[in-house]
């Protein structure tokens, strides 16, 4: 029969079921009548003929069922019947259904929420055409790690490399939009002409940058985001060709990016302008500073390792046309990695740890529901035996039980989508600042496909063991005995599942304990300054009136004086970079006595250009010599204060006071006088509390070759520093109303934000740890309670023979604690494995920390004792007379 005829016939049967049944009945009756007639022609009586026909063909009912079973519509009808039967069973036993659905909803919802957060960051391709060909190129620091490249390096690689179809660099740019109401600081990038071609995107309206746009002296042009165009420029169409004032210069908007453009390198960027550096520049110029992000698009067919080898060869063969300073010598070539790997390098360990945690919770939920189904299967053995007696084969029973488990999983999956939606909102609030592609976190189609796949898999996994157990048992014996027995293999399997739950919960608790101990150690670490009662904000000297160093110096000096007059302010200072704010600004240096002229060989230090009151405001301790004073101003000899780490690294046991040094663009410049080291102060944590002490030097504002146009203000107050923020902003604007102020935060807030990634992992692990422990407790309670029910006769006999209530209670408690002991032993090994994933997030805590492992074991034992207490108490109340009569 053709497929079309089978489909048509099956649909006809489904639509007209009564007619199809009559046809089958008539067909069977016709065969019986024909066989009877044949028998009667051979001399049999009418009754004997019909009897012989029925014996030959079998029962009419069975024949009709066999005929129906040959069509696809019968399988569909059977499936519908199985589904209806499953729903009726859940309605009859709502407690079991609710517990199973809620357990699965928690596991599926949590895993779907975490998948929705992790997938766009670690696994989904970047939103660019052929995103796998987009790579990031980095220079190498003295330890071999990645650092930003210089513009001079980019020029050489662009000229000599053949592995890249396009190369570009980008540097952060924070121009002030000044002509519209209050000054607004924008986030943007200064880029070379091929930046958007590397990414494979173009403006939705207007044009891309051209090579002539990147030439010095060319008209100022900019490309803006769709959000900026709608926010300030009247929309994308109105923005095209419009002139905007950025940092006092007029820029013509030549393009507007698509509304869904995701700028991976700077997600908050709203404006892009040409870089316009000099192709040939002195080594002391900005073109040779390590502050450029270089990206490239590989030529089709060129693998990553081939590009890496080519860059290594270029680094090993310098040419006179492209001279290199020592700090950009490209020794060993450049590092090349996919853009996705580069931007997720720092967050990958945290996200993988969270993914592992939710996987463990999902596994516990699956095990718990499997255990519930095993327990329910034990209670349904008489029912299954009766169905087998009525003709249901083992395959039919397995299908029915699997249908029930899949329906449970599907209901749990639907509820899990709701849990995922709520959990994802909470997760977005918890994710640390700077998480790449955070804007892409949403409950999208891929997350729903993931939820459907997980739901289907769970339905099969949790149902297959109970289904096989139910179909494999001696069902005919059960119906003859009329009792709800448990089957020989079920207790062992159920105990194994509970042990697995305890072990998995133990693993999650160990992870949470290690993160908790690590954060406690971390926040016990002194940052090198006193964060209490301090407020910070970033101030910019924007506009051509501040092109000169003198003008910028006067602006910040006058603003500082105005801030000090605000009631409640005890001290204030400006700095070129703020600790724990994400700023990292380092320069090479040389010591006169050692003639160390190679900063790339490890002689780099963090540069702080500060107001003389900086150390007093931040309460950074003076260890030796003096700090900077008010007389360290323009025209005075350059006084330098160094950190304790720099003193140890460069001078060992020698006294650094009076030693002379140069730093940054002054290296090798004999026309500039040497600076003199006048003091040593305590080390300050710049990037993270977990960082080792970094070498650092401090120079007074006005004595460095330039005054930074963007500086951070730190204010120490007598009361709540956040409450003084409006008054401090007004004081700064009293000097110049057009200067934008951003990044207002207390130093305590910055301290917390610096460890936001560890906070995030701890929060997730703690939540999942308690969820895992609760699920394990439910499993223990269910198993011990069921065991007590099954052993009522035994417990009654024990009591009748003289066992005390206390001994019965201890007997049941020992059963639960034995399960906990086995689970803890396995969980300890699993905890050691998961600690390997967390190793990069730990601080001051060993991976095999004894206190953490012991604490997790004690917590599991206490929860096991509590979960076993109620069944144990019930066992102790058994009346032997009632039990024995039963």
């Amino acid at each position: 029969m053709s497929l079309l005829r089978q489909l048509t016939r099956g649909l006809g049967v489904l639509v007209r079921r009564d007619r199809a049944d009559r046809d089958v009945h008539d067909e069977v009756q016709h065969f019986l009548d024909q066989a009877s007639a044949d028998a009667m022609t051979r001399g049999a009586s009418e009754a004997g003929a019909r009897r012989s026909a029925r014996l030959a063909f079998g029962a009419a009912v069975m024949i009709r069922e066999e005929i129906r079973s040959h069509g696809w519509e019968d399988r569909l009808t059977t499936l519908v019947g199985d589904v209806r039967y499953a729903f009726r069973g859940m309605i009859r036993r709502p407690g079991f259904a609710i517990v199973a659905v809620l357990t699965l909803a928690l596991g599926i919802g949590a895993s779907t929420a975490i998948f929705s957060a992790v997938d766009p960051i670690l696994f989904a391709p970047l939103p660019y055409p052929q995103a796998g060909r987009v790579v990031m190129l980095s220079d190498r620091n003295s330890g071999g790690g990645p650092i930003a490249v210089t513009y001079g390096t980019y020029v050489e690689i662009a000229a000599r490399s053949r592995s890249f179809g396009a190369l570009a660099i980008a540097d952060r740019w924070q121009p002030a939009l000044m002509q519209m109401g209050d000054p607004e600081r924008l986030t943007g990038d200064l880029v070379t002409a091929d930046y958007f071609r590397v990414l494979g995107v173009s403006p939705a309206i207007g044009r891309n940058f051209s090579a002539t746009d990147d030439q010095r002296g060319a008209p100022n042009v900019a490309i803006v985001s769709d959000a900026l165009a709608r926010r300030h420029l009247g929309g994308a169409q109105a923005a095209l060709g419009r002139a905007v004032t950025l940092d006092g210069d007029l820029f013509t908007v030549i393009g507007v990016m698509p509304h869904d453009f995701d700028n991976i390198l700077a997600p908050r960027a709203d404006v892009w302008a040409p870089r316009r550096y000099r192709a040939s520049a002195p080594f002391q110029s900005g073109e040779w500073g390590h502050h450029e992000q270089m990206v490239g698009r590989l030529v089709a067919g060129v693998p990553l390792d081939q590009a890496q080898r080519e860059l290594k060869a270029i680094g090993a063969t310098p040419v006179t046309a492209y001279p290199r300073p020592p700090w950009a010598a490209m020794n060993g070539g450049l590092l090349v990695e996919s853009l996705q790997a580069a931007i997720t390098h720092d967050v990958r360990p945290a996200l993988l740890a969270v993914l592992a945690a939710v996987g463990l919770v999902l596994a516990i939920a699956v095990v718990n529901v499997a255990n519930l189904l095993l327990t329910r299967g034990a209670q349904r053995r008489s029912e299954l035996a009766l169905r087998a007696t009525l003709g249901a084969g083992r395959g039919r029973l397995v299908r029915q039980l699997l249908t029930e488990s899949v329906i449970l999983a599907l209901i749990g999956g639907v509820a899990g989508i709701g849990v995922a939606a709520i959990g994802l909102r909470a997760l977005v609030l918890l994710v640390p600042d700077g998480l790449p592609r955070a804007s892409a976190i949403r409950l999208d189609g891929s997350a729903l496909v993931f939820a459907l796949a997980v739901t289907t898999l769970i339905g099969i996994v949790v149902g297959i063991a109970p289904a096989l157990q139910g179909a494999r048992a001696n069902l005919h014996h059960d119906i003859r005995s009329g009792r709800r027995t448990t089957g020989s293999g079920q207790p062992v399997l159920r105990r194994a599942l509970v042990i697995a739950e305890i072990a998995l919960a133990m693993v999650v608790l160990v992870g949470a304990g290690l993160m908790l101990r690590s954060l406690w150690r971390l926040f016990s670490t002194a940052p090198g300054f006193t964060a209490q009662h301090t407020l910070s904000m970033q101030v910019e000297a924007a506009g051509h009136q501040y092109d000169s160093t003198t003008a910028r110096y006067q602006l910040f000096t006058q603003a500082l004086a105005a801030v000090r007059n605000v009631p409640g302010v005890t001290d204030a200072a400006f700095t070129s970079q703020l600790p724990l704010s994400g700023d990292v600004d380092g320069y090479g240096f040389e010591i006169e006595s050692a003639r160390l002229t190679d900063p790339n060989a490890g002689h780099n230090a963090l540069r702080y250009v500060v107001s003389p009151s900086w150390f007093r405001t931040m309460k950074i301790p003076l260890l030796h010599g003096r700090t900077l004073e008010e007389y360290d101003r323009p025209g005075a000899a350059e006084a330098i204060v160094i950190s304790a780490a720099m003193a140890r690294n460069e001078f060992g046991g020698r006294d650094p006071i009076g030693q002379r040094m140069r730093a940054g663009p002054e290296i090798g410049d004999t026309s500039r006088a040497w600076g003199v080291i006048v003091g040593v102060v305590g080390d300050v944590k710049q990037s993270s509390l977990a960082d080792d002490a970094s070498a650092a030097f401090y120079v007074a504002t006005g004595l460095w070759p330039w005054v930074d146009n963007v500086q951070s203000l730190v204010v120490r107050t007598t009361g709540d520093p956040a409450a003084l923020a409006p008054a401090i902003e007004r004081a700064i604007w009293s000097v110049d109303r057009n200067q934008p102020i951003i990044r207002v935060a207390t130093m305590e807030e910055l301290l917390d934000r610096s460890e936001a990634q560890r906070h995030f992992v701890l929060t997730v692990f703690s939540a999942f740890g308690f969820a895992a422990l609760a699920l394990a407790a439910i499993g223990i309670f269910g198993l011990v309670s069921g065991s007590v029910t099954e052993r009522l006769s035994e417990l009654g006999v024990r009591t009748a023979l003289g066992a005390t209530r206390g001994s019965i209670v201890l007997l049941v408690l020992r059963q639960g604690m034995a399960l906990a002991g086995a689970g803890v032993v396995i969980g300890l090994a699993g905890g050691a494995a998961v600690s390997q994933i967390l190793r990069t997030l730990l601080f001051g805590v060993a991976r095999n920390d004894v206190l953490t492992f012991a604490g997790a074991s004690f917590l599991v034992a206490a929860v096991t004792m509590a979960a076993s207490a109620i069944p144990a108490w019930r066992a102790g109340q058994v009346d032997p007379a009632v039990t024995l009569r039963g």
Side-chain angles (χ1 to χ4, degrees):
M1 186 183 295
S2 68
L3 179 62
L4 180 60
R5 289 188 62 189
Q6 290 183 40
L7 181 61
T8 304
R9 184 191 60 79
L11 289 174
V13 170
L14 291 174
V15 172
R16 297 188 178 97
R17 186 72 191 186
D18 293 340
R19 178 179 174 181
D21 287 343
R22 286 196 303 271
D23 291 342
V24 172
H25 180 273
D26 292 344
E27 185 176 355
V28 171
Q29 190 62 44
H30 172 73
F31 276 110
L32 289 174
D33 291 344
Q34 187 68 40
S36 298
D38 291 343
M40 290 173 65
T41 58
R42 291 193 296 271
S45 65
E46 182 177 354
R50 289 190 175 280
R51 183 175 180 277
S52 62
R54 285 195 298 269
L55 290 173
F57 283 96
V61 173
M62 299 299 292
I63 294 172
R64 287 195 293 269
E65 290 297 324
E66 185 177 354
I67 292 172
R68 291 193 189 101
S69 67
H70 287 292
W72 64 268
E73 71 280 358
D74 179 72
R75 296 182 181 87
L76 179 60
T77 303
T78 303
L79 177 61
V80 171
D82 288 344
V83 171
R84 292 171 60 190
Y85 186 80
F87 276 107
R88 287 199 302 269
M90 285 187 281
I91 292 172
R92 287 195 304 270
R93 300 176 182 85
F96 160 79
I98 290 172
V99 172
V101 167
L102 290 180
T103 301
L104 289 175
L106 174 63
I108 294 171
S111 59
T112 302
I114 295 298
F115 175 82
S116 299
V118 173
D119 177 60
I121 300 172
L122 295 186
F123 306 127
L126 298 180
Y128 305 131
Q130 299 176 317
R133 289 167 51 193
V134 182
V135 298
M136 176 170 279
L137 297 84
S138 306
D139 210 337
R140 301 173 188 263
N141 59 22
S142 56
I147 58 172
V149 302
T150 70
Y151 180 79
T153 299
Y154 157 74
V155 170
E156 180 177 354
I157 297 301
R160 299 182 62 187
S161 174
R162 298 293 176 267
S163 296
F164 303 96
L167 277 171
I169 58 170
D171 194 10
R172 296 297 167 85
W173 183 37
Q174 293 182 309
L177 186 64
M178 302 172 62
Q179 82 272 30
M180 301 171 186
D182 292 338
E184 179 182 349
R185 175 84 69 82
L186 302 179
T187 298
D189 280 324
L190 295 173
V191 300
T192 48
D194 280 344
Y195 178 73
F196 293 113
R197 294 182 184 88
V198 169
L199 300 182
V201 294
S202 299
I205 298 174
R207 67 174 178 88
N208 210 332
F209 292 126
S210 66
T212 55
D213 292 328
D214 203 16
Q215 301 297 318
R216 285 179 170 247
N220 290 330
V221 293
I223 294 175
V224 300
S225 69
D226 180 75
L228 178 63
R230 285 186 282 106
R231 191 167 70 241
H232 284 308
L233 306 178
Q237 291 289 350
L240 194 64
R242 184 167 174 174
V244 294
T245 303
L246 302 174
D247 283 347
D249 291 320
L250 281 176
F251 284 75
T252 301
V253 177
I254 62 171
V256 180
M257 297 304 295
H259 69 90
D260 59 349
F261 171 59
D262 192 353
N263 189 51
I264 300 297
L265 292 177
R268 298 178 181 175
D270 274 327
V271 60
W272 297 265
R275 192 70 185 92
R276 292 183 180 172
Y277 261 151
R278 296 168 291 179
S280 299
F283 290 159
Q284 285 75 29
S285 64
E287 283 85 342
W288 287 104
H290 286 279
H291 46 72
E292 308 288 347
Q293 292 179 299
M294 180 155 63
V295 290
R297 178 172 284 270
L298 291 170
V299 173
V302 175
L304 199 65
D305 58 347
Q306 179 178 329
Q308 184 79 66
R309 289 194 299 271
E310 183 194 43
L311 293 177
K312 185 175 182 180
I314 291 174
T317 56
V319 294
T320 55
Y322 300 100
R324 308 169 186 168
W327 58 87
M330 283 196 287
N331 296 324
L334 301 180
L335 294 172
V336 185
E337 56 184 338
S338 71
L339 181 59
Q340 186 167 33
I343 64 171
T344 61
H345 182 271
D346 292 336
V347 300
R348 181 177 293 270
L351 294 179
L352 290 178
V354 168
L355 204 58
V358 75
L360 293 173
V361 172
L362 181 61
I364 294 173
V366 170
V367 171
N368 213 334
V369 174
N371 220 340
L372 288 172
L373 288 172
L374 281 172
T375 303
R376 188 185 178 198
Q379 299 168 352
R380 297 176 60 191
R381 292 177 62 80
S382 296
E383 170 202 334
L384 297 175
L386 180 60
R387 296 189 66 190
T389 303
L390 294 175
R394 294 187 184 276
R396 183 72 180 80
L397 294 176
V398 168
R399 186 171 64 184
Q400 173 63 52
L401 295 172
L402 278 177
T403 300
E404 293 178 9
S405 65
V406 170
I407 288 174
L408 271 177
L410 287 173
I411 297 173
V414 171
I417 296 297
V419 173
I422 296 171
L424 198 59
R425 291 178 185 174
L427 202 63
V428 169
L429 297 176
L430 289 174
V431 294
D433 289 338
L435 186 72
R437 302 210 65 200
S439 60
I441 297 177
R442 63 178 63 89
L443 200 63
D444 56 10
S446 62
L448 296 178
V449 170
F450 171 81
L452 178 63
V454 169
T455 297
T456 304
L457 182 62
I458 285 176
I460 296 172
V461 169
V462 302
I464 194 147
L468 293 177
Q469 285 277 356
R472 202 166 45 225
N474 188 353
L475 301 174
H476 296 289
H477 169 74
D478 292 339
I479 196 169
R480 285 196 302 270
S481 65
R483 300 181 59 179
R484 293 180 177 181
T485 58
T486 300
S488 59
Q490 280 202 7
V492 174
L493 179 57
R494 287 164 57 194
R495 289 190 188 100
L497 291 175
V498 170
I499 290 172
E501 284 187 80
I502 296 171
L504 292 171
M506 180 74 182
V507 172
V508 182
L509 288 173
V510 165
L514 287 173
M515 290 306 304
L516 180 62
R517 293 258 296 150
S518 182
L519 273 178
W520 182 80
R521 289 284 184 88
L522 197 63
F523 283 106
S524 298
T525 303
F529 57 87
T530 302
Q532 292 77 16
H533 299 292
T534 51
L535 180 72
S536 70
M537 56 186 66
Q538 202 172 64
V539 184
E540 179 181 8
H544 286 300
Q545 68 270 34
Y546 299 113
D547 283 347
S548 70
T549 291
T550 301
R552 292 195 295 273
Y553 178 79
Q554 290 176 348
L555 169 68
F556 289 116
T557 301
Q558 293 171 10
L560 190 61
V563 168
R564 284 174 174 163
N565 289 328
V566 173
V569 172
T570 59
D571 218 329
F574 275 106
T575 178
S576 59
Q577 62 174 332
L578 186 66
L580 303 178
S581 66
D583 299 338
V584 179
D585 182 24
Y587 280 82
F589 64 88
E590 61 177 346
I591 307 295
E592 183 187 30
S593 59
R595 297 289 181 182
L596 301 176
T597 58
D598 184 3
N600 198 50
H603 302 285
N604 286 305
L606 295 172
R607 175 206 69 136
Y608 295 86
V609 179
V610 299
S611 305
S613 56
W614 169 253
F615 305 99
R616 187 174 64 245
T617 302
M618 293 290 285
K619 295 190 176 180
I620 299 173
L622 174 66
L623 304 180
H624 187 36
R626 70 171 178 90
T627 60
L628 301 176
E629 302 294 344
E630 294 300 329
Y631 53 79
D632 292 314
R633 59 180 66 245
E638 185 178 8
I640 301 174
V641 174
I642 64 175
S643 67
M646 185 171 178
R648 288 192 302 271
N649 296 342
E650 303 302 327
F651 299 100
R654 294 183 295 128
D655 185 3
I657 304 301
Q659 297 286 335
R660 302 202 300 178
M661 64 173 282
R662 291 194 184 110
E666 297 179 349
I667 294 178
D669 186 358
T670 57
S671 65
R672 292 190 62 88
W674 290 92
V676 178
I677 298 174
V678 299
V680 179
V681 295
D683 294 317
V684 171
K685 303 286 187 177
Q686 179 60 32
S687 299
S688 167
L689 292 173
D691 288 347
D692 293 331
S694 300
F697 63 88
Y698 301 83
V699 179
T701 305
L703 293 181
W704 185 254
W706 63 83
V707 175
D708 297 77
N709 67 322
V710 178
Q711 298 194 34
S712 292
L713 173 70
V714 176
V715 178
R716 183 163 293 279
T717 67
T718 54
D720 179 14
L724 288 180
I728 294 171
E729 290 176 342
R730 287 193 297 270
I732 295 171
W733 284 331
S734 69
V735 179
D736 188 335
R737 186 69 184 83
N738 292 322
Q739 301 315 307
I741 298 172
I742 64 168
R743 209 170 71 182
V744 180
T746 67
M747 290 304 298
E748 288 179 298
E749 289 173 340
L750 293 180
L751 196 68
D752 289 338
R753 291 177 194 172
S754 70
E755 304 306 329
Q757 189 178 129
R758 288 181 171 87
H759 265 300
F760 174 65
V761 175
L762 172 63
T763 302
V764 173
F765 256 89
S766 298
F768 289 163
F770 286 115
L773 197 58
L775 291 174
I778 292 172
I780 295 166
F781 175 83
L783 180 67
V784 176
S785 181
S787 175
V788 168
T789 301
E790 294 164 5
R791 298 172 64 186
L792 284 177
S793 298
E794 173 200 339
L795 296 175
V797 171
R798 286 176 179 269
T799 304
L801 293 176
T804 64
R805 289 186 176 182
S807 63
I808 295 295
V809 170
L810 287 176
L811 177 68
V812 177
L813 288 178
R814 278 200 300 270
Q815 179 186 1
M817 296 309 294
L819 296 174
V824 165
V825 170
I826 298 172
L828 288 173
V834 82
S835 66
Q836 177 68 18
I837 301 176
L838 295 173
R839 67 188 187 281
T840 59
L841 298 172
L842 300 181
F843 175 80
V845 178
R847 284 179 42 231
N848 55 352
D849 181 58
V850 175
L851 187 60
T852 299
F853 281 75
S857 302
F858 176 79
L859 186 57
V860 168
V863 170
T864 302
M865 183 72 75
S868 305
I870 295 176
W873 178 84
R874 187 161 60 88
Q877 305 304 309
V878 170
D879 187 338
V882 175
T883 303
L884 292 176
R885 279 199 304 270

